[in-house]
Amino acid sequence: MDKVVIIGVFDFVNFHLCKALLDKGIDVSGVPLEDEEYEDMVNEKRLEIGRNANFTEVSLEELLNHSSEYETIVLSVYDLYMRHKEDYLLIDHLMSKLISTNNWENIVILVPSQLLKTEIDLKAKVAIENFFNRAFAQNKNCNLLYLPTVFGPWQPETFIFQSSILTEMNKGKPFKGLREETSDALFVEDTVKSIIEIIENKEPGRYLLQSGRSKQWDLCAALLQINEHGLSNRILEIKEEDLTKVIVNSTVPLSVALTRQIEHTHRLNDDK
């Protein structure tokens, strides 16, 4: 894997994936999905990676004309879903065209693990399935990586963890409603390491990334002193047909990982 294109490069998981790939010396072309609401954060992220010689920022339209030179394409439906932006998948069908009309060696789609059960927001489910039907009408050779709650620096406030941190700082906005899956949680830096390993193995399939620990999300919520009353977005039954479970190795204690998220949030917001 020498060249990767990431759609939505400044979104949460994608941004950490981009940085990890750049650290490995891999060329990354990133497509930003503009959002005025998060413009300040996007500019901060540009400062983090914009000076790396292996990083290039491009548009969807540019890739439609010149994408053949890239080996791997990554799209995080997960990030779009958690930001309530899944409609981006259907804008002029550019993303589905990009995936379906190019000879990619590896197609990687990050998706919320809630898709493994039926209790997902109906409007979002229709948008995501519409995208899948268009994108994979001819090309079935892809990796679908199912993610539970992912936390760490740059987590959007549409997650309960980040919303709680911002509320403690009196910086919170009204919570848009529970979307994340609350039976498991993974630290983002550990998660992207597992994602890269799956990409490098080049074995198409469906993968469910897990912590391997019981009630991991609950442990995180307890550390953040979050009241879990009324939270029920948990996967009780998983459709396991052709599904490979991957245990994500934890490199730091939960308390340390959450402290990194809290400290990062304070650095970004204390002067505002």
Side-chain angles (χ1 to χ4, degrees):
M1 177 175 60
D2 297 318
K3 296 181 180 180
V4 176
V5 56
I6 300 179
I7 309 296
V9 69
F10 295 122
D11 285 344
F12 173 44
V13 178
N14 269 350
F15 181 66
H16 284 275
L17 178 61
C18 176
K19 291 201 298 179
L21 290 169
L22 292 173
D23 286 343
K24 291 171 68 71
I26 294 171
D27 289 340
V28 176
S29 284
V31 179
L33 299 179
E34 298 297 341
D35 190 332
E36 292 181 0
E37 183 180 356
Y38 296 98
E39 185 175 351
D40 289 344
M41 288 190 178
V42 168
N43 289 333
E44 290 281 350
K45 291 175 182 178
R46 281 195 176 103
L47 291 175
E48 281 195 32
I49 60 175
R51 296 174 183 173
N52 191 304
N54 291 333
F55 177 73
T56 306
E57 191 171 324
V58 296
S59 68
L60 277 174
E61 291 79 5
E62 288 175 308
L63 283 176
L64 282 169
N65 296 323
H66 304 288
S67 60
S68 59
E69 63 185 284
Y70 301 100
E71 297 176 354
T72 299
I73 183 170
V74 178
L75 169 64
S76 180
V77 174
Y78 177 90
D79 283 322
L80 291 174
Y81 174 76
M82 283 308 305
R83 289 175 51 213
H84 298 258
K85 299 292 185 180
E86 59 275 357
D87 286 347
Y88 277 22
L89 295 168
L90 305 180
I91 296 176
D92 296 328
H93 303 297
L94 286 178
M95 284 190 259
S96 58
K97 290 176 185 176
L98 180 62
I99 290 174
S100 63
T101 59
N102 290 279
N103 188 28
W104 300 103
E105 181 177 328
N106 202 1
I107 299 171
V108 180
I109 310 293
L110 311 180
V111 293
S113 56
Q114 295 93 310
L115 285 178
L116 295 170
K117 66 174 187 176
T118 57
E119 293 83 5
I120 191 171
D121 179 85
L122 181 59
K123 179 176 177 290
K125 183 178 181 181
V126 169
I128 293 171
E129 289 182 347
N130 189 324
F131 165 74
F132 282 169
N133 290 337
R134 289 178 175 272
F136 305 124
Q138 298 177 347
N139 193 335
K140 307 291 184 181
N141 186 32
C142 71
N143 288 320
L144 289 178
L145 277 57
Y146 295 87
L147 307 179
T149 289
V150 179
F151 67 94
W154 293 114
Q155 188 189 53
E157 61 193 24
T158 48
F159 287 81
I160 295 175
F161 293 175
Q162 185 67 2
S163 176
S164 173
I165 293 169
L166 287 169
T167 298
E168 285 291 316
M169 298 170 57
N170 294 319
K171 300 284 187 178
K173 297 179 181 179
F175 190 59
K176 292 184 178 181
L178 182 65
R179 277 207 161 187
E180 65 204 87
E181 192 259 293
T182 61
S183 63
D184 202 2
L186 302 171
F187 182 42
V188 66
E189 293 179 12
D190 298 331
T191 302
V192 297
K193 290 177 183 177
S194 291
I195 291 172
I196 291 173
E197 289 175 3
I198 293 172
I199 294 173
E200 291 178 334
N201 287 337
K202 297 182 179 180
E203 293 287 341
R206 300 166 67 239
Y207 298 85
L208 172 62
L209 276 62
Q210 298 178 306
S211 69
R213 299 177 179 177
S214 175
K215 297 184 178 181
Q216 176 98 319
W217 192 96
D218 293 345
L219 294 172
C220 293
L223 288 168
L224 292 171
Q225 300 182 328
I226 294 173
N227 184 353
E228 301 175 48
H229 179 70
L231 301 179
S232 60
N233 201 10
R234 301 176 186 266
I235 293 182
L236 301 179
E237 296 183 10
I238 295 176
K239 304 170 186 176
E240 298 194 20
E241 302 89 350
D242 302 319
L243 184 66
T244 300
K245 295 181 180 179
V246 176
I247 301 300
V248 175
N249 293 325
S250 177
T251 58
V252 295
L254 290 179
S255 58
V256 174
L258 287 167
T259 297
R260 289 182 186 176
Q261 179 171 342
I262 293 169
E263 291 178 346
H264 180 264
T265 302
H266 276 273
R267 285 197 300 271
L268 287 178
N269 289 275
D270 279 348
D271 294 333
K272 294 182 180 180

